[in-house]
Amino acid sequence: MIQPTPRPLARSLDPLPGESLAGLLLRLSYRMGVTPHRLAMLCGLTCRSDSIPQEQLRGLSPEAAEQLARVAHLTVPEVQALTLQELTRTYPPLAKLRTGKAGLGSKSHIDWATNPDSRYCPHCLGGNGSPVQQAFGGAWQLCWHLPVTFACTQHLCLLESTCPQCAQPISGRVVRRYSLVRTPHVSGLHPGQCRNLAPGPPPKPRARATPCGARLDAPGDAAALPPLDMQRILDLQHSLNLRLALGQLRGPADEQTPQTYFADLITTARLITLSWPMGASFLPSTTLTDLVDEYATPYLHNPAQRGIQIQRSAPRGTAQTSALLLAAATVLGDRGLVPLRERIEPLTREVYRRSTSIGHKLFKDSDASANLLRATAPRIYGFQKRSTLRVVPKSYRFGTDQIPPLLPLEWFDAYFKPLMRHLPPMTTVFERHLRWASSFRLAELVCGGTWRACAETLGIPRSSASRTMNVLGKQLTAPGLWPVFEDVIDEVARHLHAQDSRVNYARRRLSTADWCLSPADWKTLCEGIPGLEQRQATGDPQVGEAVIWCMVNQSSYLHSPTVSHRRSSSRSPHRLTEQVGLFANRKQRRPSYATLRHRLMTYATQLARACDDGTDLGFEASSWATAAAVH
């Protein structure tokens, strides 16, 4: 049977700024003297026998929006503005709700997506004094259905969440589903009247529903917060309103991680709840602390549940919501990684102490920013346990082949000053591990692997990466310096990314894998240097070979083929590595060793050029060593 096309209504109303679909239905049905259910049917909205499904508040199909616009004498953009669809761009939790999908009404509050029970401001419902609003009341605001809206910045008050007479939520709940309006078959109620069923025994079957009918647009004597706390709450609401208004408020962290603020705020609010009362110090007064305590304590100590569980819905009370979000916003600050980790790490540690699985689940199911995930990630000596952090969305122009296995000393000196201020005096061994870790982190940024896997791609044994994580863990974990370290490496990555030409270290390692320094070249390199006559005559050329190899490949001599072969042949490499360390040390003050180091570096420069050009590596040192002897 073909359904007749709905005819345009004889009368209509222009939507008020920010008005919801439910609010327009209430005002228009009151003007026309029909029930909201009948009006919804006339407008082509989906209706059940006992309700008008609230799923339509999340968004209308193009056909339904066009039909409502034609019947109600509106434009399609005006109709779309009555739903939450446009807010999905600035409030991402809404995007997880499937528009028009039936059966999700009872779950729409999950993950802080919506408030199925509308909050309200009595002053706003009273109208602004214009003839239209005097007759039909002010707008039921669309944003009142968002859990992050808890105060009216125009009238400087908290929103109400229950009727002052029947004390029930302003809800369209029918059994387990939600309707756009409650008691939709009752007409004649002013849009500012409570449509909840009046308190008393349940009505008999087929009996006419008796609504509460209390006026919600009459400001009462609701308990207010202390003035200073109220100002903090209003400032927070103003800030959140700007973020909801198509991203007008953006900070430094937002430029790199857009549209993640609300996900971070909600995740932090859950973290505070799960670790309560650990986060009480982030609230400025006992009044606000008590509000969060009312919400968190019964939830954490619920005897009906085993262990702690993640609370996936927002507090119903606006005062509790405001206090919880104020604490979360204080923890987040500007979301700078280092200070954020300092504030949030005790909360994270407490949650993991109470339940490791809940800690993992909290962040796994989160759409939080990379900064928040990094700040809360548990570490074992530099290894990120949270696998999602091993893949960084930003792409770089360099690959693992172009990462030096041992961070160059020039880069280390230039970028590591912020970290050095927090560390004890630097030793040669600890400096080497920091430089190794820097290269592992650079590789992690482009390939997303663990440090042990990254070490292999750089030609370094996995066991070396394990030792580095243990050495650094003892120095960086306790004082919380991992974020500082990661910030430093981010700067190094940007430097490497900006270079126009980069060395292919993987090609150099391959080219020099079988290269050897001849005894003749070693004698030439030592020739004419006072104090090295014995080394020239009987010295081991493998010492110079290992030093040159590490200079060419920007790697540690400990990983050179020469030292590796010495280890594999069951001969102790300690004497070799001790000798190599004398010439590889940049702080060597002995004049003869410094001169030889300079010659080895000159030779390494020529060898590196031959590797890059693909030419023969078998040149002789005699052609230039004499000229270098004057140094």
Side-chain angles (χ1 to χ4, degrees), residues 365-405:
D365 296 342
S366 169
D367 294 323
S369 65
N371 265 16
L372 181 63
L373 292 177
R374 287 170 62 185
T376 57
R379 292 176 172 274
I380 300 178
Y381 299 157
F383 172 71
Q384 286 280 13
K385 292 180 67 176
R386 194 164 301 141
S387 60
T388 55
L389 295 183
R390 298 179 195 147
V391 179
V392 176
K394 184 175 180 180
S395 59
Y396 292 95
R397 292 196 300 166
F398 62 87
T400 53
D401 290 353
Q402 298 165 319
I403 295 173

Side-chain angles (χ1 to χ4, degrees), residues 285-561:
S285 72
T286 55
T287 302
L288 296 174
T289 303
D290 290 343
L291 287 170
V292 178
D293 193 66
E294 290 174 7
Y295 166 70
T297 301
Y299 160 70
L300 288 174
H301 300 283
N302 184 358
Q305 63 186 23
R306 293 184 59 186
I308 64 171
Q309 301 292 324
I310 296 177
Q311 175 61 288
R312 300 185 64 187
S313 57
R316 283 200 167 188
T318 54
Q320 292 179 342
T321 304
S322 65
L324 180 59
L325 291 182
L326 180 63
T330 304
V331 172
L332 287 178
D334 63 0
R335 295 193 289 169
L337 178 60
V338 176
L340 174 59
R341 185 173 179 86
E342 291 177 357
R343 292 189 297 267
I344 209 168
E345 197 273 337
L347 308 182
T348 307
R349 186 171 60 246
E350 178 63 16
V351 170
Y352 276 95
R353 186 191 67 80
R354 295 179 182 183
S355 173
T356 302
S357 61
I358 288 297
H360 291 332
K361 182 176 177 59
L362 173 63
F363 298 105
K364 179 181 178 182
D365 296 342
S366 169
D367 294 323
S369 65
N371 265 16
L372 181 63
L373 292 177
R374 287 170 62 185
T376 57
R379 292 176 172 274
I380 300 178
Y381 299 157
F383 172 71
Q384 286 280 13
K385 292 180 67 176
R386 194 164 301 141
S387 60
T388 55
L389 295 183
R390 298 179 195 147
V391 179
V392 176
K394 184 175 180 180
S395 59
Y396 292 95
R397 292 196 300 166
F398 62 87
T400 53
D401 290 353
Q402 298 165 319
I403 295 173
L406 185 66
L407 193 75
L409 285 168
E410 298 79 11
W411 297 3
F412 184 82
D413 293 338
Y415 292 102
F416 268 76
K417 290 180 180 178
L419 188 60
M420 295 304 172
R421 293 195 294 266
H422 305 282
L423 292 173
M426 187 63 56
T427 65
T428 302
V429 173
F430 187 66
E431 178 186 287
R432 183 164 61 229
H433 281 291
L434 269 178
R435 293 169 63 192
W436 271 333
S438 303
S439 297
F440 299 156
R441 175 62 179 170
L442 287 173
E444 180 187 7
L445 290 177
V446 296
C447 70
T450 65
W451 281 15
R452 287 169 60 84
C454 290
E456 281 192 326
T457 65
L458 300 177
I460 299 174
R462 280 176 171 258
S463 57
S464 293
S466 298
R467 284 195 298 273
T468 294
M469 289 188 287
N470 279 277
V471 169
L472 295 191
K474 297 172 184 177
Q475 297 286 352
L476 303 187
T477 300
L481 294 178
W482 284 114
V484 184
F485 170 81
E486 291 179 352
D487 274 351
V488 168
I489 304 308
D490 285 344
E491 288 290 329
V492 176
R494 285 190 282 271
H495 168 75
L496 187 56
H497 173 81
Q499 290 184 344
D500 293 327
S501 59
R502 286 174 288 275
V503 175
N504 190 322
Y505 291 100
R507 183 188 303 161
R508 287 189 181 182
R509 288 195 297 273
L510 183 62
S511 300
T512 57
D514 299 321
W515 170 82
C516 297
L517 181 68
S518 68
D521 282 347
W522 173 246
K523 290 181 179 181
T524 303
L525 288 167
C526 295
E527 185 179 6
I529 302 178
L532 294 186
E533 293 84 1
Q534 186 66 30
R535 286 186 180 276
Q536 180 184 10
T538 61
D540 186 357
Q542 288 190 332
V543 173
E545 183 179 306
V547 174
I548 293 171
W549 182 91
C550 75
M551 291 176 173
V552 170
N553 294 283
Q554 196 59 58
S555 187
S556 172
Y557 58 85
L558 298 174
H559 302 142
S560 66

